Amino acid sequence: MTKQKKRNVIVGQSGGPTAAINSSLAGVFRTAKDRGYSKVYGMLHGVQGLLEGRYIDLSDHIRTGLDAELLKRTPSAYLGSCRYKLPGINEDRDVYDKIFKILDDLEIDCFIYIGGNDSMDTIKKLSDYAIVIGSEIRFVGCPKTIDNDLALTDHTPGYGSAAKYIGTSVKEIIRDGWSLETSNGQIIIVEIMGRNAGWLTGAAALSKGEDCDGPDAIYLPELDFDVKAFVKKCKELLKKKSSVVIAVSEGIHTKDGTYISEMGNATDYVDAFGHKQLTGTARYLCDLLSNEIGCKTRAIELSTLQRAASHCSSRVDILEAYEVGGAAMKAADEGDSGKMVVIERLSDDPYQAGTEVKDVHKIANDERLVPREWITKDGTYVTSEFITYVRPLIQGDVAPVMVDGIPRHLYVPGYQELL
Amino acid sequence: MTKQKKRNVIVGQSGGPTAAINSSLAGVFRTAKDRGYSKVYGMLHGVQGLLEGRYIDLSDHIRTGLDAELLKRTPSAYLGSCRYKLPGINEDRDVYDKIFKILDDLEIDCFIYIGGNDSMDTIKKLSDYAIVIGSEIRFVGCPKTIDNDLALTDHTPGYGSAAKYIGTSVKEIIRDGWSLETSNGQIIIVEIMGRNAGWLTGAAALSKGEDCDGPDAIYLPELDFDVKAFVKKCKELLKKKSSVVIAVSEGIHTKDGTYISEMGNATDYVDAFGHKQLTGTARYLCDLLSNEIGCKTRAIELSTLQRAASHCSSRVDILEAYEVGGAAMKAADEGDSGKMVVIERLSDDPYQAGTEVKDVHKIANDERLVPREWITKDGTYVTSEFITYVRPLIQGDVAPVMVDGIPRHLYVPGYQELL
């Protein structure tokens, strides 16, 4: 790099929010400032908002060290998110020209995008286009997803906090289930996010310990779901205990590819990427069990809280998200483009990890699933290897800043109107 | 009191569990021991379990000060709970004779029951029967319910922690809703417990502050729910903002007394097995809005987590629950019977409260609802008086004892098999 003068940075957030995505934003901002960039812009609602000319100067929002600490503790995408998919370069060059015009007008040197698979597709295309037109803007991706399904990285920021919330909540649900006796027993089905990857659902096993048996079965979307075998397993479990708790992924499906959620009252909603919106897996299975066994059932969806529960976030996760944001900024500053920062694990125990930079072409649109050998042979639980992998990622807390008994988030006057 | 020698105490838990009910149990145990009682028995699954001869010696479970601290942080009824209603004394004396035989065999002086309305009915009947047969056993009630609907007490232990969890979670849900833009806007309906009393649903307003607008509307079960007005209100809200969050009680009902959750039933909603299904209130309203407005919707039930989320409990609540347990034990020790401990608020700001003892005959089977004047005129929110009332009850935290990244609960070997 022989640039004489550092100009500006722009950063965006994309895809589903997490409890850690704003910590990465704080990390990008801090490192950009530390490395002498003039302005750090935040695009509102990602590339989609940028195309509409919507962005803010982050210095108006992160004004003090306390603001940065609040931002780390603020759930949801501070800048707003989007699920916008860039067209192929050959399909529509106008969109690209428009984006680069905006970036040039803002005198952008570095473009950081915090997101998952689809967001890395954006980094890939924009960095490719920069080569095509000879632009010197560097495009670097910063990984983020509760789903933990990005390729080439040991794990993704956001996953650890979601896993901690899931392990904690499932443990409380299990304990609650012990309190009341029911004549025919009860089965509680907890539905957890993760369309194709079972990383989150497997985290339900974190509730298992010296004081809790953990869920009685865990069904990941990596394997086909056998409805008959499931009912049989539930019957057997009810013979042994009066309160059974089962964790299922929203994405479990039968051998022919039919989602369980489609078997009941599924909605036909699809997002911009053509993903089917799944709801009601637990509800369907509860109806099924009531019908087949006649036991009491309860369907619990952890819903958006599993990605938004900053009050229960993991310290390891929040700090790593911050570091990864800084590392993405560093990489762009030092001339990398078309890259994503990844986390490399050096050791499980004691847990040690560092960051590296990898080619985004090898990452985008690729999904990392739970390995078959980390799921038990009968497909109804995760193995101890899975727990060894996830346990370090949920360690420690980030105490919320409590004001009037409720966690405080970052908010500057007029902020919501911007979104 | 002229008793020469103190003998034993028995304590039970009844009704829906809370995050604070075990703190009261710890309080009863401590005060009983401090006041020189020999054994403190815990009936398993309340009076129902006692009738089957199921009880434990609490000294086997609360062995150390650390155990007591863990118990305070353990959700769900440690002793197991029940929803058993004693027959009237004139209906079935055998049940009473059986209970008193067991109590006499265990050399019980004091019987403490931690619970809500139905549990106080048990205290009332047993203390009445003691008079009938000339028994010297004292029966005292210790209030507990997340519903906060017990008469004569300012509030009930368990409510503050549930309110804190609801305020915190609703705030995170609101923030999460800001992240993604949807073309026609989205409405998120959060369903909160409380069949007849709106204390819990009103607590959603605790999310409102300098950094959050709070939910856009709150519907309590104290008022009739007007479906048409609700749809109209939602349409208006969507004109003003793209993400709308509404809190509803599970018990909202139309003027003729039909629960909203029953309306899915009335309109021939059947599950995948052809059975009429009582859909959730939030689910029904979301389906309705999708149909009437065509916006994206999301139904979120806080489910059992709102009563079991010890990881987010209120310090005021946990400490008061402990004190109230101790006060119940003290009252029984000093000769009170047929009484319940109540909390009297001395001041809102600074918050000060103390305990008193009141006649359980004036409490049992009576429901305390949110006063009409604490609900806005148009019936879609709570007033500042409501917030002034609840705010002190959610103050402070009880840091969970974290082991391997997950909160630790009290568990002694073989404990679960007892339940």
Side-chain angles (χ1 to χ4, degrees), chain A residues 380-407:
Chain A
T380 65
Y381 224 83
V382 290
T383 65
S384 61
E385 287 84 358
F386 182 98
I387 298 299
T388 302
Y389 164 81
V390 68
R391 184 70 74 184
L393 312 182
I394 66 162
Q395 296 302 312
D397 317 299
V398 182
V401 178
M402 303 300 279
V403 176
D404 277 348
I406 296 284

mmCIF file of all heavy atoms in Angstrom, chain A residues 380-407:
data_model
loop_
_atom_site.group_PDB
_atom_site.id
_atom_site.type_symbol
_atom_site.label_atom_id
_atom_site.label_comp_id
_atom_site.label_asym_id
_atom_site.label_seq_id
_atom_site.Cartn_x
_atom_site.Cartn_y
_atom_site.Cartn_z
ATOM 1 N N THR A 380 -30.401 -38.609 17.590
ATOM 2 C CA THR A 380 -31.288 -37.888 18.506
ATOM 3 C C THR A 380 -30.526 -37.074 19.560
ATOM 4 O O THR A 380 -31.116 -36.648 20.556
ATOM 5 C CB THR A 380 -32.239 -38.850 19.248
ATOM 6 O OG1 THR A 380 -31.454 -39.715 20.085
ATOM 7 C CG2 THR A 380 -33.049 -39.682 18.277
ATOM 8 N N TYR A 381 -29.247 -36.841 19.338
ATOM 9 C CA TYR A 381 -28.491 -36.013 20.288
ATOM 10 C C TYR A 381 -27.180 -35.576 19.645
ATOM 11 O O TYR A 381 -26.803 -36.086 18.590
ATOM 12 C CB TYR A 381 -28.197 -36.790 21.586
ATOM 13 C CG TYR A 381 -28.432 -35.958 22.839
ATOM 14 C CD1 TYR A 381 -29.720 -35.834 23.365
ATOM 15 C CD2 TYR A 381 -27.389 -35.279 23.467
ATOM 16 C CE1 TYR A 381 -29.958 -35.066 24.501
ATOM 17 C CE2 TYR A 381 -27.622 -34.503 24.611
ATOM 18 C CZ TYR A 381 -28.908 -34.416 25.120
ATOM 19 O OH TYR A 381 -29.141 -33.648 26.234
ATOM 20 N N VAL A 382 -26.513 -34.643 20.306
ATOM 21 C CA VAL A 382 -25.168 -34.288 19.865
ATOM 22 C C VAL A 382 -24.151 -35.015 20.751
ATOM 23 O O VAL A 382 -24.456 -35.400 21.872
ATOM 24 C CB VAL A 382 -24.930 -32.762 19.923
ATOM 25 C CG1 VAL A 382 -25.747 -32.051 18.849
ATOM 26 C CG2 VAL A 382 -25.239 -32.205 21.309
ATOM 27 N N THR A 383 -22.959 -35.186 20.244
ATOM 28 C CA THR A 383 -21.928 -35.919 20.978
ATOM 29 C C THR A 383 -21.116 -34.965 21.874
ATOM 30 O O THR A 383 -21.271 -33.742 21.795
ATOM 31 C CB THR A 383 -20.941 -36.582 20.005
ATOM 32 O OG1 THR A 383 -20.241 -35.536 19.309
ATOM 33 C CG2 THR A 383 -21.654 -37.478 18.997
ATOM 34 N N SER A 384 -20.241 -35.553 22.667
ATOM 35 C CA SER A 384 -19.406 -34.730 23.551
ATOM 36 C C SER A 384 -18.454 -33.849 22.741
ATOM 37 O O SER A 384 -18.051 -32.789 23.201
ATOM 38 C CB SER A 384 -18.623 -35.620 24.513
ATOM 39 O OG SER A 384 -17.772 -36.480 23.783
ATOM 40 N N GLU A 385 -18.091 -34.262 21.526
ATOM 41 C CA GLU A 385 -17.244 -33.420 20.672
ATOM 42 C C GLU A 385 -17.945 -32.103 20.349
ATOM 43 O O GLU A 385 -17.318 -31.040 20.283
ATOM 44 C CB GLU A 385 -16.894 -34.136 19.353
ATOM 45 C CG GLU A 385 -15.888 -35.264 19.478
ATOM 46 C CD GLU A 385 -16.523 -36.590 19.894
ATOM 47 O OE1 GLU A 385 -17.761 -36.628 20.126
ATOM 48 O OE2 GLU A 385 -15.784 -37.590 19.993
ATOM 49 N N PHE A 386 -19.234 -32.191 20.119
ATOM 50 C CA PHE A 386 -20.011 -30.975 19.848
ATOM 51 C C PHE A 386 -19.915 -30.029 21.047
ATOM 52 O O PHE A 386 -19.674 -28.827 20.892
ATOM 53 C CB PHE A 386 -21.485 -31.340 19.572
ATOM 54 C CG PHE A 386 -22.357 -30.155 19.223
ATOM 55 C CD1 PHE A 386 -22.650 -29.848 17.910
ATOM 56 C CD2 PHE A 386 -22.884 -29.337 20.225
ATOM 57 C CE1 PHE A 386 -23.445 -28.748 17.587
ATOM 58 C CE2 PHE A 386 -23.682 -28.233 19.909
ATOM 59 C CZ PHE A 386 -23.960 -27.942 18.593
ATOM 60 N N ILE A 387 -20.102 -30.580 22.244
ATOM 61 C CA ILE A 387 -20.077 -29.756 23.465
ATOM 62 C C ILE A 387 -18.681 -29.166 23.682
ATOM 63 O O ILE A 387 -18.537 -28.000 24.055
ATOM 64 C CB ILE A 387 -20.515 -30.590 24.685
ATOM 65 C CG1 ILE A 387 -21.963 -31.074 24.498
ATOM 66 C CG2 ILE A 387 -20.371 -29.786 25.979
ATOM 67 C CD1 ILE A 387 -22.981 -29.958 24.380
ATOM 68 N N THR A 388 -17.638 -29.983 23.459
ATOM 69 C CA THR A 388 -16.267 -29.481 23.591
ATOM 70 C C THR A 388 -16.032 -28.303 22.658
ATOM 71 O O THR A 388 -15.339 -27.343 22.996
ATOM 72 C CB THR A 388 -15.270 -30.610 23.262
ATOM 73 O OG1 THR A 388 -15.520 -31.691 24.152
ATOM 74 C CG2 THR A 388 -13.830 -30.142 23.408
ATOM 75 N N TYR A 389 -16.651 -28.387 21.484
ATOM 76 C CA TYR A 389 -16.518 -27.305 20.503
ATOM 77 C C TYR A 389 -17.221 -26.031 20.962
ATOM 78 O O TYR A 389 -16.669 -24.926 20.906
ATOM 79 C CB TYR A 389 -17.103 -27.781 19.160
ATOM 80 C CG TYR A 389 -17.375 -26.677 18.171
ATOM 81 C CD1 TYR A 389 -16.352 -26.147 17.389
ATOM 82 C CD2 TYR A 389 -18.663 -26.156 18.020
ATOM 83 C CE1 TYR A 389 -16.605 -25.118 16.489
ATOM 84 C CE2 TYR A 389 -18.925 -25.131 17.120
ATOM 85 C CZ TYR A 389 -17.891 -24.617 16.361
ATOM 86 O OH TYR A 389 -18.144 -23.602 15.469
ATOM 87 N N VAL A 390 -18.466 -26.158 21.447
ATOM 88 C CA VAL A 390 -19.272 -24.958 21.711
ATOM 89 C C VAL A 390 -19.037 -24.371 23.102
ATOM 90 O O VAL A 390 -19.163 -23.156 23.304
ATOM 91 C CB VAL A 390 -20.780 -25.238 21.481
ATOM 92 C CG1 VAL A 390 -21.347 -26.192 22.498
ATOM 93 C CG2 VAL A 390 -21.580 -23.932 21.498
ATOM 94 N N ARG A 391 -18.649 -25.220 24.063
ATOM 95 C CA ARG A 391 -18.538 -24.758 25.455
ATOM 96 C C ARG A 391 -17.669 -23.497 25.622
ATOM 97 O O ARG A 391 -18.080 -22.561 26.316
ATOM 98 C CB ARG A 391 -18.026 -25.920 26.325
ATOM 99 C CG ARG A 391 -17.938 -25.636 27.804
ATOM 100 C CD ARG A 391 -19.270 -25.501 28.505
ATOM 101 N NE ARG A 391 -19.968 -26.755 28.703
ATOM 102 C CZ ARG A 391 -21.196 -26.825 29.235
ATOM 103 N NH1 ARG A 391 -21.845 -25.723 29.618
ATOM 104 N NH2 ARG A 391 -21.796 -27.991 29.381
ATOM 105 N N PRO A 392 -16.495 -23.431 24.984
ATOM 106 C CA PRO A 392 -15.668 -22.222 25.196
ATOM 107 C C PRO A 392 -16.336 -20.943 24.683
ATOM 108 O O PRO A 392 -16.019 -19.863 25.156
ATOM 109 C CB PRO A 392 -14.397 -22.509 24.381
ATOM 110 C CG PRO A 392 -14.386 -23.975 24.146
ATOM 111 C CD PRO A 392 -15.815 -24.415 24.128
ATOM 112 N N LEU A 393 -17.250 -21.092 23.751
ATOM 113 C CA LEU A 393 -17.823 -19.906 23.094
ATOM 114 C C LEU A 393 -18.893 -19.216 23.930
ATOM 115 O O LEU A 393 -19.343 -18.115 23.586
ATOM 116 C CB LEU A 393 -18.407 -20.298 21.727
ATOM 117 C CG LEU A 393 -17.495 -21.141 20.837
ATOM 118 C CD1 LEU A 393 -18.165 -21.416 19.504
ATOM 119 C CD2 LEU A 393 -16.154 -20.450 20.634
ATOM 120 N N ILE A 394 -19.330 -19.864 25.023
ATOM 121 C CA ILE A 394 -20.402 -19.267 25.846
ATOM 122 C C ILE A 394 -19.868 -18.763 27.181
ATOM 123 O O ILE A 394 -20.639 -18.407 28.074
ATOM 124 C CB ILE A 394 -21.549 -20.265 26.107
ATOM 125 C CG1 ILE A 394 -21.068 -21.446 26.980
ATOM 126 C CG2 ILE A 394 -22.126 -20.799 24.803
ATOM 127 C CD1 ILE A 394 -22.204 -22.227 27.622
ATOM 128 N N GLN A 395 -18.563 -18.711 27.319
ATOM 129 C CA GLN A 395 -17.982 -18.380 28.632
ATOM 130 C C GLN A 395 -18.033 -16.887 28.926
ATOM 131 O O GLN A 395 -17.771 -16.054 28.064
ATOM 132 C CB GLN A 395 -16.527 -18.854 28.694
ATOM 133 C CG GLN A 395 -16.375 -20.370 28.607
ATOM 134 C CD GLN A 395 -17.118 -21.105 29.710
ATOM 135 O OE1 GLN A 395 -17.017 -20.751 30.881
ATOM 136 N NE2 GLN A 395 -17.883 -22.119 29.331
ATOM 137 N N GLY A 396 -18.334 -16.593 30.153
ATOM 138 C CA GLY A 396 -18.286 -15.215 30.640
ATOM 139 C C GLY A 396 -19.515 -14.417 30.250
ATOM 140 O O GLY A 396 -20.283 -14.805 29.364
ATOM 141 N N ASP A 397 -19.697 -13.313 30.940
ATOM 142 C CA ASP A 397 -20.867 -12.477 30.727
ATOM 143 C C ASP A 397 -20.415 -11.074 30.334
ATOM 144 O O ASP A 397 -19.298 -10.672 30.612
ATOM 145 C CB ASP A 397 -21.686 -12.363 32.012
ATOM 146 C CG ASP A 397 -21.795 -13.703 32.694
ATOM 147 O OD1 ASP A 397 -22.348 -14.614 32.065
ATOM 148 O OD2 ASP A 397 -21.290 -13.846 33.832
ATOM 149 N N VAL A 398 -21.310 -10.351 29.727
ATOM 150 C CA VAL A 398 -21.114 -8.922 29.535
ATOM 151 C C VAL A 398 -22.257 -8.268 30.286
ATOM 152 O O VAL A 398 -23.391 -8.252 29.816
ATOM 153 C CB VAL A 398 -21.178 -8.539 28.045
ATOM 154 C CG1 VAL A 398 -20.912 -7.052 27.872
ATOM 155 C CG2 VAL A 398 -20.186 -9.359 27.247
ATOM 156 N N ALA A 399 -21.966 -7.800 31.494
ATOM 157 C CA ALA A 399 -23.038 -7.252 32.332
ATOM 158 C C ALA A 399 -23.743 -6.127 31.586
ATOM 159 O O ALA A 399 -23.097 -5.188 31.126
ATOM 160 C CB ALA A 399 -22.451 -6.744 33.642
ATOM 161 N N PRO A 400 -25.066 -6.230 31.455
ATOM 162 C CA PRO A 400 -25.791 -5.119 30.832
ATOM 163 C C PRO A 400 -25.646 -3.857 31.678
ATOM 164 O O PRO A 400 -25.447 -3.936 32.885
ATOM 165 C CB PRO A 400 -27.251 -5.591 30.850
ATOM 166 C CG PRO A 400 -27.222 -7.055 31.140
ATOM 167 C CD PRO A 400 -25.962 -7.304 31.902
ATOM 168 N N VAL A 401 -25.706 -2.708 31.051
ATOM 169 C CA VAL A 401 -25.762 -1.455 31.804
ATOM 170 C C VAL A 401 -27.224 -1.240 32.171
ATOM 171 O O VAL A 401 -28.058 -0.962 31.310
ATOM 172 C CB VAL A 401 -25.240 -0.275 30.951
ATOM 173 C CG1 VAL A 401 -25.356 1.037 31.725
ATOM 174 C CG2 VAL A 401 -23.801 -0.522 30.530
ATOM 175 N N MET A 402 -27.551 -1.444 33.443
ATOM 176 C CA MET A 402 -28.952 -1.393 33.860
ATOM 177 C C MET A 402 -29.342 0.040 34.221
ATOM 178 O O MET A 402 -28.668 0.700 34.997
ATOM 179 C CB MET A 402 -29.177 -2.300 35.069
ATOM 180 C CG MET A 402 -28.792 -3.759 34.850
ATOM 181 S SD MET A 402 -29.696 -4.580 33.506
ATOM 182 C CE MET A 402 -31.238 -4.985 34.324
ATOM 183 N N VAL A 403 -30.437 0.481 33.648
ATOM 184 C CA VAL A 403 -30.997 1.782 34.002
ATOM 185 C C VAL A 403 -32.462 1.552 34.366
ATOM 186 O O VAL A 403 -33.215 0.975 33.566
ATOM 187 C CB VAL A 403 -30.888 2.786 32.831
ATOM 188 C CG1 VAL A 403 -31.567 4.105 33.192
ATOM 189 C CG2 VAL A 403 -29.431 3.025 32.456
ATOM 190 N N ASP A 404 -32.831 1.934 35.570
ATOM 191 C CA ASP A 404 -34.205 1.716 36.040
ATOM 192 C C ASP A 404 -34.628 0.252 35.949
ATOM 193 O O ASP A 404 -35.792 -0.057 35.685
ATOM 194 C CB ASP A 404 -35.194 2.584 35.229
ATOM 195 C CG ASP A 404 -35.273 3.997 35.761
ATOM 196 O OD1 ASP A 404 -34.754 4.251 36.868
ATOM 197 O OD2 ASP A 404 -35.862 4.848 35.078
ATOM 198 N N GLY A 405 -33.666 -0.639 36.139
ATOM 199 C CA GLY A 405 -33.996 -2.065 36.204
ATOM 200 C C GLY A 405 -34.039 -2.788 34.877
ATOM 201 O O GLY A 405 -34.338 -3.984 34.831
ATOM 202 N N ILE A 406 -33.752 -2.075 33.784
ATOM 203 C CA ILE A 406 -33.841 -2.660 32.435
ATOM 204 C C ILE A 406 -32.524 -2.362 31.698
ATOM 205 O O ILE A 406 -31.959 -1.283 31.858
ATOM 206 C CB ILE A 406 -35.024 -2.014 31.666
ATOM 207 C CG1 ILE A 406 -36.365 -2.337 32.352
ATOM 208 C CG2 ILE A 406 -35.057 -2.444 30.207
ATOM 209 C CD1 ILE A 406 -36.897 -3.726 32.145
ATOM 210 N N PRO A 407 -32.018 -3.303 30.869
ATOM 211 C CA PRO A 407 -30.763 -3.033 30.150
ATOM 212 C C PRO A 407 -30.873 -1.824 29.220
ATOM 213 O O PRO A 407 -31.876 -1.652 28.531
ATOM 214 C CB PRO A 407 -30.541 -4.313 29.333
ATOM 215 C CG PRO A 407 -31.297 -5.370 30.037
ATOM 216 C CD PRO A 407 -32.498 -4.679 30.608
#
